[in-house]
Amino acid sequence: MALKIDGIIERITFHNLDSGYVVLKVHVKGHRDLVTIVGQLSAAVAGEFVEAEGDWVNDREHGLQFKADTLRTTPPHTIAGITKYLGSGLIKGIGPTYAKRIVEIFGERTLDVIDKTPSHLSEIKGIGKQRLERIRKSWEEQRGVRSVMVFLQSYGIGTARAIRIYKTYGDSAVDKIKNNPYRLSADIWGIGFKIADDLAMRLNLPKDSPLRARAAVRYVLQECNTQGHVGFPEIGIIDRTVELTQITPEIIRGVIEQGRQEDEFVRDQPPVPFEPFGEEPWLFLKASYQAEVGIAKSIRLLRSRNHPLPAIDIEKALAWVEKQIGFELAASQLEAIRAATTEKVLVVTGGPGVGKTTIVKGIIEIFAAKKLKVALAAPTGRAAKRLSESTGREAKTIHRLLEFNAESGGFTKDSSEPIDAELLVVDEASMIDVNLMNQLLKAIPPYTCVIFVGDVDQLPSVGPGTVLADLIESNSIRVVRLTEIFRQAGQSWIIRAAHAINNGEEPESAPSNSGDFFFIEVDEPPMIIDRIVQMVRERIPARFHLDPLRDVQILTPMNKSEIGVTHLNQILQDVLNPIRAGSKRVERFGTGFREGDKVLQTVNNYNKEVFNGDIGRIVDIDETDQEVLVEIDGRQVLYDFSELDELVLAYATTIHKSQGSEYPAVIIPLHTQNYVMLQRNLLYTGVTRGKKLVVIVGSRKALRIAIQRQDTARRYSLLRWRLQEATTT
């Protein structure tokens, strides 16, 4: 027969918000010391009254515990419990200090007052209108969230997303989920098809339900987007959906047709056969299809209008530019600047040290001399900052240039309210996916000259498409390729190494007493980690006078593996930001965040104006208001605890996430355990992220594999042909 105990929760030692597993320290009557209770609970707050049914066990590591088969909590009913409950950070605006003041006035009636007559809290010193409103909203939200938590927990889903679900659906959350659980995968960040599908099966929805089939098709197409494809052969989508759901192809074809009629999916025919699918038609999510078509239309419109520059003597202009810059330009640089004075759309591409920055300066000089408006943009904050520093002019991220409007959920700048510029220079263009490129081009007036600058040999964009490569390979616009490495740049061992890798050659380390690029041969992953820790903690700060947190970035090929992002971040967090007495911490979504941690944004958040790949530092954790303050590119950004799934630790990050960024020092671990990701453009991109120092630590075998293997994976996109068609019609 199960035993029963109850008491007041003193503290929550551990709580996994996904599984519900919890370890509680509880005041139990008749026990002098706090009792450890372990079990499953959707939500727990210090001060609550808890009832547990189960049995005592003697854990080998943790000693005597009460292992609960069932746990139930109720709001506290004692003065001490209510004070602890309110002071736990449960309600935004009430911390330990205000909790004590409130309970001193209202006593055991406190929770009833907050629930029914919260205006009475204004009697408490320090609680004004704003704090009162925050408390009222937070209390209502917690009440709603709890009902969602109980519902989700009963169907095997953790509570980590409950607040986000409640904020999206409000009090009707449970009804909406019951009616169509698959809407979660479309509406809620962090909940994919598989979680929604598991819930649907628990709710006894038929396995061959059209709701399930259509959600699965949408999920497969979204996964294709995640893998870089804009569209995908329809037969492949059907096969993948069958494999995912075991639903018959006939039902899947039916929901595809329904989705086409309702404008969710678009079918299109590729102009040439694509192996292994031949001439099979392709399927697109409508937004992806519109993005490709929109890019081609915009390029066509731009090229159809006159160049904004008045007639000039180009040779005199080039001589004048050389005088302004202070040195003689190479033939390829002169060609690029000359092209910018006649071409409405131009691509300038080349690796590091080939003079792309000088070209941009020269072009700007000519346009500015003719009193034409110039705008500069780049995909990331770091890239925009670097562009601004190199040109001496303001540069914005593309998102800020387009002015995201939080109310409408779209960009302010578009064809009806375009960017005010006669010249637009877009740097790091290899990073731009089809969706962002379409938004950008829509906002460029037809009279503007647009110059895309980028390194086409780097990794393609994280988002779908290979826009820069397609612009080049379509032969529909002018392209200037820069190949000559200038003497000053050629003195950099980093630049030499980058070009060697890009040419399929093994890079040469600098002499041990000088230089900025080094390969350190270490064969075993534990030793690679030891070397990285030693360099970050001691050698780089001592020899190069660089701050290990601010200036050094570990870039690794993969998330998982012994030298992957997840494991390295766990180690480096303890090395570079150890837990100290009094330091603030919060754990959410399986990650423990600390004040001072280096973090990375994993998704585009237009409301906060932070984007996938942005790196910052946690400057404060406010347990009372349940908020984390992060400084990103000199700007402070506030995150609710429920939004922390958008952040990950960033002591180490993937090379993919580093695109568009530049760091004073870069360390790249390489080992054959990351074999699947060892590719030339990946290593080349990683090496070109370092400004003052690049160190590759790993096995020579892994280095040689990475250099020799070309990335031959095809991204399914029809943009190249759409561009060709747009320029010939």
Side-chain angles (χ1 to χ4, degrees), residues 692-719:
K692 297 180 180 178
L693 175 68
V694 173
V695 183
I696 297 175
V697 187
S699 70
R700 193 167 294 278
K701 182 179 179 181
L703 176 66
R704 286 172 175 163
I705 291 170
I707 292 166
Q708 290 163 9
R709 284 177 69 200
Q710 293 266 36
D711 181 9
T712 55
R714 167 180 281 163
R715 288 189 169 194
Y716 284 87
S717 167
L718 298 181
L719 179 58

Side-chain angles (χ1 to χ4, degrees), residues 158-177:
T159 61
R161 313 292 179 206
I163 294 175
R164 201 181 288 269
I165 291 171
Y166 181 77
K167 282 182 176 178
T168 303
Y169 298 143
D171 292 331
S172 60
V174 173
D175 288 339
K176 287 184 175 180
I177 294 168

